[in-house]
Amino acid sequence: MPVQNTSSEALQAYLDTAVALAREVGPAFKDGFWRTGQFASNSDYAAEGKLGNEADCVTAVDRYIEQTIFARLRTIYPKHRFVGEETTAEDGNGYEVTDDPTWIVDPVDGTNNFVHHFPFTGISIGVAINREPVVGVVYLPVLDELYTAARGLGAHLNGKPLPVVRPPALTTPTSLSQCSLVTEHGSDRSAAVIKSRLDSFTRLLLDKEHGGACLQNLRVTGSATSDLTLVAKGVAEMYWECGPHAWDFAAGVVILLEAGGAVFDGAGWWGVDIPECDKSPQPFNLWNRKILAIRHVPDLPGKPGSGRELQRRLAGELLGHVQDIPYSPDGGH
Ligand code: IPD
């Protein structure tokens, strides 16, 4: 479906800009990760707790990359809007969400992984127009994985179409007991939130005789952005989390949707080519701080549309076992 008032050429130009920026800051990212070059000094990378909580950290590299990306973007697109984890989060999320083209950047997603040299960490650059995510670039420099996508232009990993696992190797799961779920424990360590997450994990893992879903695998990578790329790739079936922000998933959502996946934001379904009758009347809400993402599910033989139906059934099964954690939406939206 075309993006209102935005040509494919314009989307391609935004995508090219995002790729060039991700590649430009890639060497600084790797320097920070390995403590070499310009970020060799421990004081440069030392993690600071953002909200008085060491689990929610930021480093000098986060700030350097975000400032570099936004300085370039402000020159190229002076009339666009910019939302970045470090500039915005430190402002108490006090930004306004509008229909204008908005660049949404997480300079280092998975900062805790970054600090601990754990390779699931990367740069996320998304563009939303009319509040809809339409361009996404996720660069995981340590794994040398560059994910790119734009609405109507497909999704790719290092130039190869996603999902990388393709039918017949890409299976058609019919229950959570055949699924891998990636999720996160997040950085909110308040007692009620931790209890809620652990209760959800218990119900997902527990055997069916005791009311659980007997989920086949539960994985935590430490990076919401990486989680979405794993689902887009086809190596995990689902990703679910309450609490991340738009910068954690704006780019990854475009990549997943263009790879045939679907997302649920608490209000309804969204995906490319989902029949209008099944779709949420509103585009996926980037600001709602909740996400359930599911990979492309191939149709059963001779049953067109069954893949989309199974996506909804699996998501429904998941939502029946987990507890929602209410967070105030970002940007007062
Ligand atoms: C965090 C990571 C983490 C997720 C949090 C995010 P950051 O991003 O993606 O996996 O659970 O919700 O805030 O702070 O490392 O950029």
Side-chain angles (χ1 to χ4, degrees), residues 218-260:
L218 183 72
R219 303 283 183 256
V220 175
T221 72
S223 158
T225 300
S226 302
D227 294 341
L228 278 163
T229 63
L230 292 170
V231 179
K233 229 175 172 177
V235 301
E237 277 64 48
M238 301 164 101
Y239 159 59
W240 167 75
E241 190 178 357
C242 298
H245 297 273
W247 47 79
D248 294 312
F249 53 63
V253 160
V254 185
I255 294 160
L256 176 81
L257 294 180
E258 285 296 313

mmCIF file of all heavy atoms in Angstrom, residues 218-260:
data_model
loop_
_atom_site.group_PDB
_atom_site.id
_atom_site.type_symbol
_atom_site.label_atom_id
_atom_site.label_comp_id
_atom_site.label_asym_id
_atom_site.label_seq_id
_atom_site.Cartn_x
_atom_site.Cartn_y
_atom_site.Cartn_z
ATOM 1 N N LEU A 218 12.030 -19.995 25.066
ATOM 2 C CA LEU A 218 11.952 -18.589 25.483
ATOM 3 C C LEU A 218 13.374 -18.031 25.414
ATOM 4 O O LEU A 218 14.298 -18.629 25.954
ATOM 5 C CB LEU A 218 11.438 -18.512 26.923
ATOM 6 C CG LEU A 218 11.223 -17.132 27.515
ATOM 7 C CD1 LEU A 218 10.006 -16.466 26.893
ATOM 8 C CD2 LEU A 218 11.002 -17.236 29.027
ATOM 9 N N ARG A 219 13.561 -16.917 24.714
ATOM 10 C CA ARG A 219 14.899 -16.343 24.528
ATOM 11 C C ARG A 219 14.913 -14.878 24.929
ATOM 12 O O ARG A 219 13.953 -14.159 24.651
ATOM 13 C CB ARG A 219 15.323 -16.437 23.052
ATOM 14 C CG ARG A 219 15.301 -17.863 22.483
ATOM 15 C CD ARG A 219 16.517 -18.654 22.952
ATOM 16 N NE ARG A 219 16.587 -19.991 22.396
ATOM 17 C CZ ARG A 219 16.290 -21.111 23.059
ATOM 18 N NH1 ARG A 219 15.834 -21.040 24.299
ATOM 19 N NH2 ARG A 219 16.420 -22.285 22.498
ATOM 20 N N VAL A 220 15.997 -14.436 25.542
ATOM 21 C CA VAL A 220 16.176 -13.018 25.888
ATOM 22 C C VAL A 220 17.523 -12.582 25.304
ATOM 23 O O VAL A 220 18.564 -13.088 25.715
ATOM 24 C CB VAL A 220 16.181 -12.815 27.421
ATOM 25 C CG1 VAL A 220 16.498 -11.367 27.775
ATOM 26 C CG2 VAL A 220 14.849 -13.229 28.038
ATOM 27 N N THR A 221 17.524 -11.683 24.334
ATOM 28 C CA THR A 221 18.807 -11.265 23.739
ATOM 29 C C THR A 221 19.361 -10.017 24.398
ATOM 30 O O THR A 221 20.532 -9.724 24.284
ATOM 31 C CB THR A 221 18.671 -10.942 22.236
ATOM 32 O OG1 THR A 221 17.952 -9.717 22.080
ATOM 33 C CG2 THR A 221 17.991 -12.055 21.460
ATOM 34 N N GLY A 222 18.485 -9.203 25.038
ATOM 35 C CA GLY A 222 18.942 -7.936 25.609
ATOM 36 C C GLY A 222 18.826 -6.766 24.661
ATOM 37 O O GLY A 222 19.287 -5.664 24.970
ATOM 38 N N SER A 223 18.191 -6.977 23.511
ATOM 39 C CA SER A 223 18.048 -5.878 22.544
ATOM 40 C C SER A 223 16.748 -6.056 21.774
ATOM 41 O O SER A 223 16.589 -7.004 20.998
ATOM 42 C CB SER A 223 19.241 -5.874 21.584
ATOM 43 O OG SER A 223 18.927 -5.206 20.388
ATOM 44 N N ALA A 224 15.824 -5.122 21.997
ATOM 45 C CA ALA A 224 14.527 -5.188 21.320
ATOM 46 C C ALA A 224 14.703 -5.140 19.801
ATOM 47 O O ALA A 224 14.031 -5.851 19.049
ATOM 48 C CB ALA A 224 13.668 -4.016 21.784
ATOM 49 N N THR A 225 15.632 -4.315 19.360
ATOM 50 C CA THR A 225 15.893 -4.186 17.924
ATOM 51 C C THR A 225 16.356 -5.516 17.338
ATOM 52 O O THR A 225 15.876 -5.945 16.279
ATOM 53 C CB THR A 225 16.991 -3.112 17.706
ATOM 54 O OG1 THR A 225 16.518 -1.895 18.241
ATOM 55 C CG2 THR A 225 17.329 -2.936 16.260
ATOM 56 N N SER A 226 17.291 -6.170 18.043
ATOM 57 C CA SER A 226 17.785 -7.464 17.565
ATOM 58 C C SER A 226 16.665 -8.492 17.565
ATOM 59 O O SER A 226 16.578 -9.338 16.664
ATOM 60 C CB SER A 226 18.921 -7.979 18.450
ATOM 61 O OG SER A 226 19.969 -7.070 18.481
ATOM 62 N N ASP A 227 15.786 -8.409 18.569
ATOM 63 C CA ASP A 227 14.672 -9.357 18.643
ATOM 64 C C ASP A 227 13.832 -9.283 17.365
ATOM 65 O O ASP A 227 13.451 -10.298 16.777
ATOM 66 C CB ASP A 227 13.785 -9.062 19.854
ATOM 67 C CG ASP A 227 14.512 -9.288 21.177
ATOM 68 O OD1 ASP A 227 15.534 -9.983 21.178
ATOM 69 O OD2 ASP A 227 14.046 -8.758 22.200
ATOM 70 N N LEU A 228 13.535 -8.059 16.953
ATOM 71 C CA LEU A 228 12.712 -7.903 15.747
ATOM 72 C C LEU A 228 13.431 -8.439 14.508
ATOM 73 O O LEU A 228 12.802 -9.011 13.615
ATOM 74 C CB LEU A 228 12.336 -6.430 15.555
ATOM 75 C CG LEU A 228 11.141 -6.007 16.406
ATOM 76 C CD1 LEU A 228 11.051 -4.498 16.518
ATOM 77 C CD2 LEU A 228 9.832 -6.567 15.833
ATOM 78 N N THR A 229 14.744 -8.276 14.456
ATOM 79 C CA THR A 229 15.460 -8.797 13.279
ATOM 80 C C THR A 229 15.441 -10.331 13.277
ATOM 81 O O THR A 229 15.377 -10.944 12.215
ATOM 82 C CB THR A 229 16.919 -8.282 13.202
ATOM 83 O OG1 THR A 229 17.655 -8.754 14.320
ATOM 84 C CG2 THR A 229 16.975 -6.772 13.132
ATOM 85 N N LEU A 230 15.481 -10.938 14.464
ATOM 86 C CA LEU A 230 15.436 -12.415 14.522
ATOM 87 C C LEU A 230 14.100 -12.927 14.013
ATOM 88 O O LEU A 230 14.018 -13.955 13.324
ATOM 89 C CB LEU A 230 15.674 -12.888 15.966
ATOM 90 C CG LEU A 230 17.084 -12.635 16.517
ATOM 91 C CD1 LEU A 230 17.137 -12.902 18.011
ATOM 92 C CD2 LEU A 230 18.113 -13.487 15.783
ATOM 93 N N VAL A 231 13.020 -12.199 14.345
ATOM 94 C CA VAL A 231 11.685 -12.609 13.889
ATOM 95 C C VAL A 231 11.558 -12.355 12.377
ATOM 96 O O VAL A 231 11.029 -13.189 11.635
ATOM 97 C CB VAL A 231 10.588 -11.876 14.698
ATOM 98 C CG1 VAL A 231 9.202 -12.269 14.231
ATOM 99 C CG2 VAL A 231 10.728 -12.199 16.186
ATOM 100 N N ALA A 232 12.077 -11.223 11.910
ATOM 101 C CA ALA A 232 12.030 -10.931 10.465
ATOM 102 C C ALA A 232 12.823 -11.967 9.675
ATOM 103 O O ALA A 232 12.430 -12.378 8.582
ATOM 104 C CB ALA A 232 12.583 -9.536 10.195
ATOM 105 N N LYS A 233 13.923 -12.402 10.258
ATOM 106 C CA LYS A 233 14.788 -13.394 9.609
ATOM 107 C C LYS A 233 14.105 -14.758 9.503
ATOM 108 O O LYS A 233 14.401 -15.561 8.629
ATOM 109 C CB LYS A 233 16.005 -13.570 10.526
ATOM 110 C CG LYS A 233 17.340 -13.501 9.905
ATOM 111 C CD LYS A 233 18.336 -13.589 11.081
ATOM 112 C CE LYS A 233 19.735 -13.716 10.628
ATOM 113 N NZ LYS A 233 20.672 -13.739 11.756
ATOM 114 N N GLY A 234 13.218 -15.052 10.483
ATOM 115 C CA GLY A 234 12.540 -16.348 10.501
ATOM 116 C C GLY A 234 13.199 -17.332 11.442
ATOM 117 O O GLY A 234 12.890 -18.527 11.396
ATOM 118 N N VAL A 235 14.106 -16.863 12.328
ATOM 119 C CA VAL A 235 14.755 -17.789 13.263
ATOM 120 C C VAL A 235 14.118 -17.751 14.654
ATOM 121 O O VAL A 235 14.547 -18.464 15.559
ATOM 122 C CB VAL A 235 16.279 -17.554 13.346
ATOM 123 C CG1 VAL A 235 16.909 -17.731 11.980
ATOM 124 C CG2 VAL A 235 16.618 -16.183 13.914
ATOM 125 N N ALA A 236 13.130 -16.883 14.830
ATOM 126 C CA ALA A 236 12.263 -16.906 16.018
ATOM 127 C C ALA A 236 10.866 -16.602 15.504
ATOM 128 O O ALA A 236 10.715 -15.899 14.505
ATOM 129 C CB ALA A 236 12.700 -15.866 17.036
ATOM 130 N N GLU A 237 9.862 -17.171 16.167
ATOM 131 C CA GLU A 237 8.488 -16.969 15.670
ATOM 132 C C GLU A 237 7.911 -15.642 16.136
ATOM 133 O O GLU A 237 7.199 -14.975 15.388
ATOM 134 C CB GLU A 237 7.571 -18.109 16.135
ATOM 135 C CG GLU A 237 7.628 -19.352 15.264
ATOM 136 C CD GLU A 237 8.984 -20.017 15.261
ATOM 137 O OE1 GLU A 237 9.547 -20.215 16.362
ATOM 138 O OE2 GLU A 237 9.499 -20.330 14.175
ATOM 139 N N MET A 238 8.176 -15.266 17.394
ATOM 140 C CA MET A 238 7.492 -14.103 17.947
ATOM 141 C C MET A 238 8.407 -13.303 18.857
ATOM 142 O O MET A 238 9.377 -13.828 19.415
ATOM 143 C CB MET A 238 6.275 -14.557 18.776
ATOM 144 C CG MET A 238 5.276 -15.345 17.980
ATOM 145 S SD MET A 238 4.147 -16.216 19.065
ATOM 146 C CE MET A 238 2.759 -15.149 18.968
ATOM 147 N N TYR A 239 8.039 -12.042 19.010
ATOM 148 C CA TYR A 239 8.678 -11.157 19.990
ATOM 149 C C TYR A 239 7.550 -10.435 20.704
ATOM 150 O O TYR A 239 6.633 -9.909 20.063
ATOM 151 C CB TYR A 239 9.611 -10.174 19.286
ATOM 152 C CG TYR A 239 9.932 -8.916 20.076
ATOM 153 C CD1 TYR A 239 10.537 -8.980 21.320
ATOM 154 C CD2 TYR A 239 9.634 -7.665 19.557
ATOM 155 C CE1 TYR A 239 10.827 -7.819 22.039
ATOM 156 C CE2 TYR A 239 9.924 -6.498 20.257
ATOM 157 C CZ TYR A 239 10.513 -6.586 21.497
ATOM 158 O OH TYR A 239 10.787 -5.448 22.204
ATOM 159 N N TRP A 240 7.614 -10.409 22.029
ATOM 160 C CA TRP A 240 6.578 -9.716 22.812
ATOM 161 C C TRP A 240 7.251 -8.923 23.920
ATOM 162 O O TRP A 240 8.162 -9.424 24.579
ATOM 163 C CB TRP A 240 5.606 -10.733 23.431
ATOM 164 C CG TRP A 240 4.726 -10.138 24.490
ATOM 165 C CD1 TRP A 240 3.653 -9.332 24.287
ATOM 166 C CD2 TRP A 240 4.873 -10.280 25.910
ATOM 167 N NE1 TRP A 240 3.111 -8.960 25.500
ATOM 168 C CE2 TRP A 240 3.847 -9.526 26.509
ATOM 169 C CE3 TRP A 240 5.767 -10.967 26.730
ATOM 170 C CZ2 TRP A 240 3.690 -9.444 27.893
ATOM 171 C CZ3 TRP A 240 5.622 -10.883 28.110
ATOM 172 C CH2 TRP A 240 4.578 -10.128 28.673
ATOM 173 N N GLU A 241 6.847 -7.694 24.125
ATOM 174 C CA GLU A 241 7.389 -6.900 25.229
ATOM 175 C C GLU A 241 6.474 -5.718 25.523
ATOM 176 O O GLU A 241 5.902 -5.111 24.613
ATOM 177 C CB GLU A 241 8.800 -6.374 24.884
ATOM 178 C CG GLU A 241 9.501 -5.753 26.101
ATOM 179 C CD GLU A 241 10.925 -5.264 25.851
ATOM 180 O OE1 GLU A 241 11.448 -5.448 24.727
ATOM 181 O OE2 GLU A 241 11.500 -4.683 26.790
ATOM 182 N N CYS A 242 6.339 -5.396 26.814
ATOM 183 C CA CYS A 242 5.694 -4.151 27.234
ATOM 184 C C CYS A 242 6.804 -3.281 27.822
ATOM 185 O O CYS A 242 7.571 -3.770 28.657
ATOM 186 C CB CYS A 242 4.670 -4.395 28.336
ATOM 187 S SG CYS A 242 3.316 -5.449 27.842
ATOM 188 N N GLY A 243 6.897 -2.033 27.415
ATOM 189 C CA GLY A 243 7.888 -1.139 28.013
ATOM 190 C C GLY A 243 8.861 -0.483 27.061
ATOM 191 O O GLY A 243 9.356 0.604 27.364
ATOM 192 N N PRO A 244 9.198 -1.123 25.903
ATOM 193 C CA PRO A 244 10.160 -0.436 25.043
ATOM 194 C C PRO A 244 9.554 0.824 24.434
ATOM 195 O O PRO A 244 8.332 1.020 24.466
ATOM 196 C CB PRO A 244 10.490 -1.462 23.954
ATOM 197 C CG PRO A 244 9.362 -2.413 23.949
ATOM 198 C CD PRO A 244 8.778 -2.406 25.326
ATOM 199 N N HIS A 245 10.421 1.664 23.887
ATOM 200 C CA HIS A 245 9.984 2.936 23.306
ATOM 201 C C HIS A 245 10.047 2.857 21.779
ATOM 202 O O HIS A 245 10.634 1.944 21.213
ATOM 203 C CB HIS A 245 10.887 4.066 23.794
ATOM 204 C CG HIS A 245 10.825 4.282 25.273
ATOM 205 N ND1 HIS A 245 9.886 5.109 25.860
ATOM 206 C CD2 HIS A 245 11.562 3.768 26.284
ATOM 207 C CE1 HIS A 245 10.062 5.104 27.175
ATOM 208 N NE2 HIS A 245 11.071 4.298 27.461
ATOM 209 N N ALA A 246 9.494 3.909 21.156
ATOM 210 C CA ALA A 246 9.440 3.948 19.687
ATOM 211 C C ALA A 246 10.831 3.754 19.074
ATOM 212 O O ALA A 246 10.972 3.087 18.048
ATOM 213 C CB ALA A 246 8.845 5.278 19.231
ATOM 214 N N TRP A 247 11.872 4.324 19.716
ATOM 215 C CA TRP A 247 13.209 4.209 19.123
ATOM 216 C C TRP A 247 13.732 2.776 19.184
ATOM 217 O O TRP A 247 14.624 2.426 18.436
ATOM 218 C CB TRP A 247 14.199 5.178 19.782
ATOM 219 C CG TRP A 247 14.152 5.184 21.278
ATOM 220 C CD1 TRP A 247 14.713 4.284 22.112
ATOM 221 C CD2 TRP A 247 13.488 6.163 22.107
ATOM 222 N NE1 TRP A 247 14.446 4.620 23.417
ATOM 223 C CE2 TRP A 247 13.712 5.771 23.447
ATOM 224 C CE3 TRP A 247 12.759 7.318 21.846
ATOM 225 C CZ2 TRP A 247 13.202 6.494 24.537
ATOM 226 C CZ3 TRP A 247 12.259 8.038 22.923
ATOM 227 C CH2 TRP A 247 12.485 7.622 24.235
ATOM 228 N N ASP A 248 13.186 1.957 20.101
ATOM 229 C CA ASP A 248 13.635 0.563 20.177
ATOM 230 C C ASP A 248 13.087 -0.260 19.017
ATOM 231 O O ASP A 248 13.674 -1.278 18.654
ATOM 232 C CB ASP A 248 13.178 -0.094 21.485
ATOM 233 C CG ASP A 248 13.828 0.534 22.706
ATOM 234 O OD1 ASP A 248 15.056 0.699 22.681
ATOM 235 O OD2 ASP A 248 13.111 0.861 23.669
ATOM 236 N N PHE A 249 11.904 0.125 18.493
ATOM 237 C CA PHE A 249 11.327 -0.772 17.476
ATOM 238 C C PHE A 249 10.846 -0.121 16.179
ATOM 239 O O PHE A 249 10.376 -0.819 15.288
ATOM 240 C CB PHE A 249 10.250 -1.677 18.070
ATOM 241 C CG PHE A 249 9.138 -1.013 18.843
ATOM 242 C CD1 PHE A 249 8.268 -0.135 18.227
ATOM 243 C CD2 PHE A 249 8.945 -1.318 20.181
ATOM 244 C CE1 PHE A 249 7.228 0.435 18.930
ATOM 245 C CE2 PHE A 249 7.907 -0.748 20.901
ATOM 246 C CZ PHE A 249 7.046 0.134 20.262
ATOM 247 N N ALA A 250 11.001 1.221 16.034
ATOM 248 C CA ALA A 250 10.469 1.863 14.811
ATOM 249 C C ALA A 250 11.059 1.242 13.548
ATOM 250 O O ALA A 250 10.327 0.914 12.606
ATOM 251 C CB ALA A 250 10.771 3.359 14.845
ATOM 252 N N ALA A 251 12.370 1.078 13.511
ATOM 253 C CA ALA A 251 13.010 0.535 12.309
ATOM 254 C C ALA A 251 12.705 -0.957 12.155
ATOM 255 O O ALA A 251 12.358 -1.431 11.065
ATOM 256 C CB ALA A 251 14.515 0.749 12.385
ATOM 257 N N GLY A 252 12.794 -1.687 13.271
ATOM 258 C CA GLY A 252 12.593 -3.139 13.215
ATOM 259 C C GLY A 252 11.200 -3.519 12.747
ATOM 260 O O GLY A 252 11.022 -4.532 12.060
ATOM 261 N N VAL A 253 10.216 -2.706 13.092
ATOM 262 C CA VAL A 253 8.836 -3.009 12.679
ATOM 263 C C VAL A 253 8.713 -2.957 11.157
ATOM 264 O O VAL A 253 8.078 -3.822 10.541
ATOM 265 C CB VAL A 253 7.858 -2.016 13.361
ATOM 266 C CG1 VAL A 253 6.531 -1.955 12.631
ATOM 267 C CG2 VAL A 253 7.627 -2.426 14.803
ATOM 268 N N VAL A 254 9.321 -1.984 10.521
ATOM 269 C CA VAL A 254 9.243 -1.890 9.053
ATOM 270 C C VAL A 254 9.895 -3.125 8.426
ATOM 271 O O VAL A 254 9.362 -3.725 7.481
ATOM 272 C CB VAL A 254 9.942 -0.609 8.531
ATOM 273 C CG1 VAL A 254 9.737 -0.473 7.028
ATOM 274 C CG2 VAL A 254 9.432 0.628 9.246
ATOM 275 N N ILE A 255 11.028 -3.516 8.995
ATOM 276 C CA ILE A 255 11.754 -4.678 8.470
ATOM 277 C C ILE A 255 10.893 -5.937 8.613
ATOM 278 O O ILE A 255 10.750 -6.723 7.672
ATOM 279 C CB ILE A 255 13.115 -4.822 9.196
ATOM 280 C CG1 ILE A 255 14.006 -3.622 8.830
ATOM 281 C CG2 ILE A 255 13.802 -6.129 8.839
ATOM 282 C CD1 ILE A 255 15.154 -3.365 9.799
ATOM 283 N N LEU A 256 10.279 -6.089 9.773
ATOM 284 C CA LEU A 256 9.430 -7.265 9.997
ATOM 285 C C LEU A 256 8.217 -7.266 9.060
ATOM 286 O O LEU A 256 7.891 -8.288 8.455
ATOM 287 C CB LEU A 256 8.963 -7.307 11.448
ATOM 288 C CG LEU A 256 8.000 -8.462 11.699
ATOM 289 C CD1 LEU A 256 8.747 -9.765 11.888
ATOM 290 C CD2 LEU A 256 7.079 -8.201 12.858
ATOM 291 N N LEU A 257 7.537 -6.138 8.963
ATOM 292 C CA LEU A 257 6.319 -6.086 8.130
ATOM 293 C C LEU A 257 6.644 -6.375 6.670
ATOM 294 O O LEU A 257 5.926 -7.110 5.992
ATOM 295 C CB LEU A 257 5.634 -4.721 8.251
ATOM 296 C CG LEU A 257 5.046 -4.380 9.622
ATOM 297 C CD1 LEU A 257 4.408 -2.999 9.607
ATOM 298 C CD2 LEU A 257 4.037 -5.423 10.064
ATOM 299 N N GLU A 258 7.745 -5.822 6.186
ATOM 300 C CA GLU A 258 8.119 -6.048 4.789
ATOM 301 C C GLU A 258 8.597 -7.486 4.570
ATOM 302 O O GLU A 258 8.663 -7.944 3.440
ATOM 303 C CB GLU A 258 9.190 -5.045 4.351
ATOM 304 C CG GLU A 258 8.648 -3.650 4.112
ATOM 305 C CD GLU A 258 7.636 -3.573 2.952
ATOM 306 O OE1 GLU A 258 7.923 -4.127 1.877
ATOM 307 O OE2 GLU A 258 6.566 -2.969 3.140
ATOM 308 N N ALA A 259 8.930 -8.180 5.655
ATOM 309 C CA ALA A 259 9.322 -9.591 5.557
ATOM 310 C C ALA A 259 8.106 -10.505 5.723
ATOM 311 O O ALA A 259 8.261 -11.711 5.920
ATOM 312 C CB ALA A 259 10.377 -9.910 6.617
ATOM 313 N N GLY A 260 6.905 -9.931 5.697
ATOM 314 C CA GLY A 260 5.691 -10.761 5.776
ATOM 315 C C GLY A 260 5.181 -10.967 7.183
ATOM 316 O O GLY A 260 4.231 -11.728 7.395
#
